[in-house]
Amino acid sequence: MPQAAAAKSSARRSALPDEESTTLDTAIAELQTGSRTWSHLTLDQRARLIGRVRAAVAAVAEEWAGVASASKGIEPGHPLAGEEWLSGPYATLVALDAYRDSLAALAQGESTLKSVKTDAAPGGRVRAHVFPLSAIDGMLLSGYTGEVWFEPGVTEADVRRDAGLAQLTPTESGGVGLVLGAGNVTSIPVLDVMYELIAHNRVAILKVNPTQDALVPVFERALAPLIEPGFLRIVRGGGDVGGYLAEHPGIAHVHITGAEPTFDAIVWGPSSGPAAAATTRRRREDRPKLKKPITAELGGVSPIIIVPGQWSAADLAFQAEHVATMRLYNSGHNCIAGQVVLLSADWPQREAFLAALRTALDAAPARPVWYPRSDEKLAAAASDYPDATWCGDGTRALVETVPGEAATAIETTEYFAPVLGVVSLPGNGQEFLDRAVAHANDELVGTLGANVLIDPVTQAALGDGFERAMADLHYGTVAINSWTAFGFLTPTLPWGGFPGATLQDVQSGLGVVHNALLLDHIERAVTRGPFRPFPRALEPKALNRSRGRSFSVLPKPPWFVSSRTGAAVSEGFTRFRIDGNFAKLAGTLAQAFRA
């Protein structure tokens, strides 16, 4: 059947009004023309186009952060408004810079890994040290590093040969892709569109999640350099629009950032109602309803492994605030919000840490729990755990399970709300760490991100055993003394679930995004941060050069929910990325020291 006729036939079968389906058909037809245009652009022209997108994003950055804050109930000047600068325009700008650098290098016949150090990782793996790659990155995010670990058996020659993905064959079109945008973090839809275009030579129709409808005018101006030549179309709508587009014959590929039930509905069909029996039969017979490729990032239940050591009172307070941030950032509406703390039942400081954690959860600034149906998630947690402690304004649940007691609900339900669990396991040292890794792999739903907090002395004592345990964690991002959100924020790192998921068992998704160096054969990202902030990073124990040392000049990262100056610093970092004004940056850094 000719494509236009197929589209009309699809429209007739759709529950959408004829006018709406015709509008969508027209958008896809325009994108098909745009895909041919894209295939004729040189790499240098693509790099310059990304530069124009960057300028457009910079022009709307303040409005972007303001609209995003307002849509989440955060008033102007609120201490947490910085989250919308960091996870919106900042994340987008640094990604655009990284994509432009990769395209420019490829245009000159160079590898995207030209200046990147590689070495060996545990288990016969090669790894690339991809952050920081500039002095600016090292200064703004002092003490943080990022690595890409490749699949076992992949050689350095394989990695360097295949770096570039679709830009190694720039004239081969990937067709038109559908991006079903996330509703929680405002940079995600934009970054997913950019990855489709750069990694796959695929132009895109972006269906914005209804929670971000207010940002559509901002997105249209920010991405005008892609919209004008037919490389992007942005549409609104609910599940009916997404379903129509996913089934459209003009769509070559689907990418979704969302929840597993939505993924399953697209791939297999509805799980309830009259069509549920047909869905069950398709799954049993392994006959997906969706007849085209799909990639996805779907979240999960992220562990926070606390390796027991000898911590000072300041260590306990700082890391408790770190854990609270992992749960409370964006009101817990994050796919990699830490949800289950794995704690040693035998750690002498266990109760002291839990007391510090309760204090941190109570002290964090009040904010709306804004994501749709969050009230249902909080009610479910209250029902699952009637003895939970409700902290702060009564919207933050701390679930402390009894050692040895089953914790099924907290480990298998992604609450996507301010619900934090504590599960205790026996042991100390390597015994505890190995048990916690196995527990996270086997009992917690999802494979997107895992967090590990360990003091430098304990890490040095564990030696190779620690790195081996990190290799055994089956997660797409492993964050050591950092939060997996740092991996999300770093464009040269890949973002996605651990390899091995299938349509039948999708876990935290299929494929990766971000990955601005355009690397193939990826297994995971590993981030490392400072256990102690400045000035305690200067203490003699932290200065020893054994494994586990990480020096930082940041008194407190600006994304900590407890940072008094997080909003000013996050805005300042974004403005510096826009204009490179070092004089203004000095003021921002002064604010950082007041955090």
Side-chain angles (χ1 to χ4, degrees), residues 108-187:
Q108 296 169 12
E110 298 175 346
S111 170
T112 62
L113 286 171
K114 178 184 177 183
S115 302
V116 175
K117 175 189 173 184
T118 58
D119 60 10
R125 296 171 173 88
V126 171
R127 68 180 163 189
H129 297 265
V130 301
F131 185 90
L133 294 180
S134 70
I136 293 299
D137 285 335
M139 175 179 67
L140 294 184
L141 295 167
S142 170
Y144 289 84
T145 62
E147 308 157 12
V148 177
W149 289 22
F150 299 94
E151 294 171 340
V154 173
T155 67
E156 181 181 355
D158 296 331
V159 169
R160 293 190 179 274
R161 181 195 65 231
D162 296 332
L165 297 179
Q167 298 311 307
L168 298 177
T169 54
T171 61
E172 295 181 10
S173 172
V176 180
L178 167 63
V179 173
L180 297 170
N184 59 327
V185 174
T186 62
S187 64

Side-chain angles (χ1 to χ4, degrees), residues 259-272:
E260 183 179 352
T262 306
F263 174 90
D264 285 343
I266 292 170
V267 173
W268 302 104
S271 59
S272 60

Side-chain angles (χ1 to χ4, degrees), residues 259-331:
E260 183 179 352
T262 306
F263 174 90
D264 285 343
I266 292 170
V267 173
W268 302 104
S271 59
S272 60
T279 299
T280 300
R281 185 169 59 253
R282 277 192 292 268
R283 292 201 75 146
R284 185 175 61 249
E285 298 171 356
D286 199 19
R287 293 186 298 103
K289 173 173 173 279
L290 187 70
K291 305 301 183 185
K292 60 193 68 173
I294 183 169
T295 52
E297 189 264 90
L298 303 175
V301 174
S302 293
I304 308 167
I305 298 174
I306 310 290
V307 183
Q310 293 184 351
W311 294 12
S312 68
D315 293 337
L316 291 167
F318 179 78
Q319 295 300 346
E321 291 177 17
H322 199 174
V323 172
T325 295
M326 295 179 194
R327 182 67 265 182
L328 299 181
Y329 191 102
N330 197 26
S331 288

Side-chain angles (χ1 to χ4, degrees), residues 25-38:
D25 294 344
T26 300
I28 292 171
E30 292 169 348
L31 287 166
Q32 288 168 337
T33 301
S35 70
R36 293 190 290 272
T37 303
W38 176 260

